[in-house]
Amino acid sequence: MDHTLREIYSAERIDREVQRLAREISADYQGREVVVLVILKGAFIFAADLLRKLTVPVTVDFLEISSYCGTDTTGKVKMVKDTVLSLQGKDVLIVEDIVDQGLCLSLLLEDLGQRNPASLKICTLIDNRKRRTRPVEPDYAGIRDVCGFLVGYGLDMDQRYRELPALYEVVPSSAET
Ligand code: IMP
Ligand code: MG
């Protein structure tokens, strides 16, 4: 598809939101150690920035789920890469790039909940609440209700554009004004 990219959130704006989230999370988890669970691939840049701003001790693990998890007929998360660390009795914070319909995360929460973490919370860079079809409520959200398909800062379109430092909306060329 022919398209252009329109910047909608600058690197500076993103940085401000990441700082705010890091302050909130550091305050809430004071005196505890957090297992940060980064959902690959989209959240890797957000997580790298967020982690370096936290003031509580963390351990980090990664989990990759397939992009078609929502439409999988088995209704289960297709886990491409599972965690290495045990989550039993741990304070787990999921770090996600974007929560849209909430399909991926609702399935993932079910799976992770069965591993008996002491607590399980969600931090997402983008929270598109208005598009939700499942009852998933992020505990920490950077930017809310963004229209269009987004790329940059870890988010991709067919694996491209993850490296861009800002967030862009993909605009089909025919829709350009
Ligand atoms: P959900 O199951 O509808 O909440 O979809 C969540 C996942 O779909 C996210 O973790 C992203 O990987 C992907 N996704 C949803 N919207 C976008 C977007 O605008 N750009 C890039 N990826 C997206
Ligand atoms: Mg994702």
Side-chain angles (χ1 to χ4, degrees), residues 110-125:
E110 232 172 79
D111 182 315
L112 297 177
Q114 288 169 6
R115 304 184 195 189
N116 299 316
S119 67
L120 186 57
K121 286 190 175 188
I122 303 164
C123 173
T124 184
L125 176 67

Side-chain angles (χ1 to χ4, degrees), residues 162-176:
R162 294 191 197 275
E163 75 282 13
L164 300 178
L167 272 171
Y168 299 81
E169 183 188 350
V170 176
V171 183
S173 292
S174 56
E176 271 183 86

Side-chain angles (χ1 to χ4, degrees), residues 5-169:
L5 301 183
R6 178 162 64 209
E7 185 181 302
I8 51 168
Y9 289 101
S10 67
E12 291 72 25
R13 166 77 197 275
I14 296 169
D15 188 59
R16 279 202 303 278
E17 297 301 336
V18 175
Q19 274 182 40
R20 174 179 62 78
L21 290 172
R23 272 198 305 272
E24 285 178 24
I25 293 166
S26 298
D28 289 355
Y29 285 90
Q30 223 170 14
R32 290 187 280 166
E33 186 180 88
V34 190
V35 177
V36 174
L37 202 50
V38 183
I39 310 301
L40 297 174
K41 299 174 187 172
F44 81 109
I45 290 180
F46 171 44
D49 283 347
L50 181 71
L51 283 172
R52 285 177 289 179
K53 290 178 167 69
L54 293 179
T55 59
V56 288
V58 299
T59 58
V60 185
D61 209 341
F62 302 91
L63 194 152
E64 185 170 0
I65 47 182
S66 67
S67 55
Y68 57 94
C69 64
T71 55
D72 185 0
T73 48
T74 64
K76 291 237 187 307
V77 174
K78 259 276 190 291
M79 198 89 69
V80 178
K81 184 212 169 294
D82 202 349
T83 57
V84 174
L85 303 176
S86 163
L87 306 182
Q88 169 98 32
K90 300 289 170 66
D91 290 307
V92 178
L93 180 65
I94 298 170
V95 175
E96 178 61 297
D97 52 357
I98 175 168
V99 184
D100 213 55
Q101 293 188 60
L103 290 170
C104 290
L105 219 46
S106 66
L107 294 169
L108 192 60
L109 283 172
E110 232 172 79
D111 182 315
L112 297 177
Q114 288 169 6
R115 304 184 195 189
N116 299 316
S119 67
L120 186 57
K121 286 190 175 188
I122 303 164
C123 173
T124 184
L125 176 67
I126 301 154
D127 181 9
N128 276 347
R129 275 180 177 179
K130 290 179 180 158
R131 292 168 57 99
R132 207 75 95 244
T133 59
R134 298 286 174 96
V136 175
E137 186 62 50
D139 301 279
Y140 307 96
I143 299 164
R144 290 188 200 276
D145 296 319
V146 188
C147 294
F149 192 82
L150 308 179
V151 295
Y153 199 70
L155 285 85
D156 75 304
M157 184 175 72
D158 299 331
Q159 302 301 327
R160 292 173 65 202
Y161 302 132
R162 294 191 197 275
E163 75 282 13
L164 300 178
L167 272 171
Y168 299 81
E169 183 188 350

